[in-house]
């Protein structure tokens, strides 16, 4: 990834943070696009210090088009090009479907699905112009198999898969590859926050028994595949979905 420029949404913490670190260690410069500016900046300073690469934070809400346009312009000003886009920003809460409200549906779909759509709509034209680029979208196995208490979240993640396959077809002619990484259950701040709810803690606690590898994943077990898919080593791979889930689902 030497001297590639990578944008990682949701890179302040969790899986996104591990992805930022893996790209920087592989020689890339990274722009962290996250709502949480302080966390993003802290991550950027630390990873830049250990990797020796330029890692910067640009406060971005992926649901806001004007933020993403600013992110694109800032990135081009600093690095002149965008080689790779990783869409990792996401949000979730467990609640049985009939207890959910349209406000919650709106929030989940806006961040998880339309966030990815917004990012691609603003960044892809630059890649098309250069006839070069790679996109990796972070989905979830809930989008493949469904998940109790996550009707709309799972739907948003399934939508990411269909969207990614479609733009992979549309932009193969532009030498742009689009793939999906689909984690199972991974130990991150998001999961910690979700555990604050009693029912959620119970459900998450019981799922571990069904994971063949008998534990949650770590963010640094997701990031290597993301970097591989964005690299030239994956030059013949596009429109694919890869699960990383300790064996919880075996749907491929
Ligand atoms: N942790 C898991 O078990 C798991 C499983 C499957 C998929 N995923 C997916 O992986 C991705 C990362 O999840 P995580 O567990 O690391 O979560 P996390 O909450 O620890 O990190 C998510 C990051 O996204 C950022 N973010 C949220 N909304 C945003 C917005 N509107 N604009 C910009 N940034 C925003 C947050 O500030 C945070 O830094 C998400 O897409 C999530 O759906 C996670």
């Amino acid at each position: 990834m030497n001297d590639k420029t990578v944008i990682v949404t949701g890179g302040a913490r969790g899986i996104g943070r591990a992805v930022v670190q893996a790209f920087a260690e592989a020689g890339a410069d990274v722009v962290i696009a996250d709502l949480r500016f302080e966390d993003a900046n802290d991550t950027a300073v630390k990873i830049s210090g250990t990797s020796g690469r330029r890692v910067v934070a640009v406060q971005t809400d992926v649901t806001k088009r004007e933020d993403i346009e600013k992110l694109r312009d800032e990135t081009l000003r600093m690095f002149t090009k965008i080689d790779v886009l990783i869409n990792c920003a996401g949000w979730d809460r467990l609640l049985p479907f009939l207890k959910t409200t349209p406000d919650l549906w709106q929030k989940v779909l806006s961040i998880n699905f339309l966030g990815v759509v917004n990012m691609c709509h603003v960044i892809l034209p630059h890649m098309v112009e250069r006839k070069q680029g790679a996109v990796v979208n972070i989905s979830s196995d809930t989008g493949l198999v469904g998940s109790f208490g996550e009707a709309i979240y799972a739907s948003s993640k399934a939508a990411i898969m269909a969207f990614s396959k479609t733009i992979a077809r549309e932009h193969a002619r532009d030498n742009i590859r689009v793939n999906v990484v689909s984690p199972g259950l991974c130990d991150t701040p998001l999961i910690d926050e979700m555990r604050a709810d009693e029912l959620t803690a119970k459900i998450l606690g019981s799922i571990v028994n069904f994971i063949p590898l008998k534990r949650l994943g770590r963010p640094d077990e997701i990031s290597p595949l993301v970097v591989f898919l964005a690299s030239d080593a994956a030059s013949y791979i596009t429109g694919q979905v890869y699960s990383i889930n300790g064996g919880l689902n075996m749907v491929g």
Side-chain angles (χ1 to χ4, degrees):
M1 301 303 305
N2 265 348
D3 299 322
K4 300 265 189 204
T5 306
V6 181
I7 293 178
V8 181
T9 73
R13 66 180 205 180
I15 294 170
R17 183 187 167 114
V19 168
V20 172
Q21 179 153 2
F23 273 111
E25 283 169 3
D29 294 321
V30 187
V31 178
I32 300 175
D34 203 295
L35 257 185
R36 298 166 198 272
F37 182 69
E38 278 188 21
D39 289 349
N41 203 38
D42 185 54
T43 296
V45 169
K46 284 193 178 125
I47 295 179
S48 178
T50 54
S51 66
R53 298 303 309 188
R54 290 172 72 194
V55 182
V56 298
V58 176
Q59 185 163 32
T60 310
D61 181 343
V62 297
T63 69
K64 294 197 175 126
R65 182 133 183 142
E66 60 274 21
D67 275 19
I68 302 175
E69 285 167 352
K70 204 183 107 227
L71 164 74
R72 175 199 58 203
D73 295 347
E74 277 281 286
T75 305
L76 291 177
R77 190 181 58 73
M78 288 184 283
F79 298 104
T80 70
K81 65 190 172 73
I82 301 165
D83 299 290
V84 172
L85 169 62
I86 310 297
N87 286 305
C88 189
W91 184 80
D92 188 18
R93 280 298 170 272
L94 248 71
L95 209 56
F97 174 59
L98 291 182
K99 297 215 159 109
T100 60
T101 58
D103 280 355
L104 184 73
W105 308 344
Q106 201 69 47
K107 178 169 178 178
V108 169
L109 290 170
S110 306
I111 298 173
N112 294 310
F113 178 51
L114 291 179
V116 176
V117 174
N118 283 331
M119 286 295 302
C120 288
H121 203 248
V122 173
I123 304 297
L124 275 173
H126 169 76
M127 293 182 173
V128 169
E129 201 178 304
R130 294 181 70 222
K131 291 276 179 273
Q132 183 184 320
V135 179
V136 180
N137 294 325
I138 307 301
S139 179
S140 157
D141 269 12
T142 61
L144 291 169
V145 298
S147 177
F148 185 96
E150 298 184 287
I152 308 302
Y153 174 81
S155 306
S156 73
K157 294 298 189 176
I160 288 178
M161 295 180 197
F163 172 72
S164 303
K165 290 175 185 180
T166 301
I167 57 168
R169 288 184 189 280
E170 289 187 7
H171 290 288
R173 72 198 66 181
D174 299 311
N175 192 28
I176 298 169
R177 297 179 302 100
V178 185
N179 288 292
V180 175
V181 169
S182 175
L185 210 49
C186 198
D187 209 355
T188 66
L190 174 67
I191 297 294
D192 280 348
E193 287 169 6
M194 290 168 70
R195 277 201 192 99
D197 172 68
E198 209 176 308
L199 173 65
T200 307
K202 230 186 219 171
I203 292 171
L204 292 176
S206 68
I207 289 176
V208 177
N209 298 320
F210 298 100
I211 301 175
L213 292 180
K214 292 289 173 228
R215 63 176 177 84
L216 303 196
R218 296 188 314 268
D220 68 359
E221 292 176 309
I222 310 294
S223 52
L225 181 59
V226 177
V227 174
F228 170 74
L229 288 171
S231 77
D232 292 344
S235 52
Y236 199 52
I237 303 178
T238 196
Q240 305 303 310
V241 176
Y242 296 95
S243 292
I244 305 180
N245 57 25
L248 178 59
N249 310 299
M250 300 188 185
V251 293

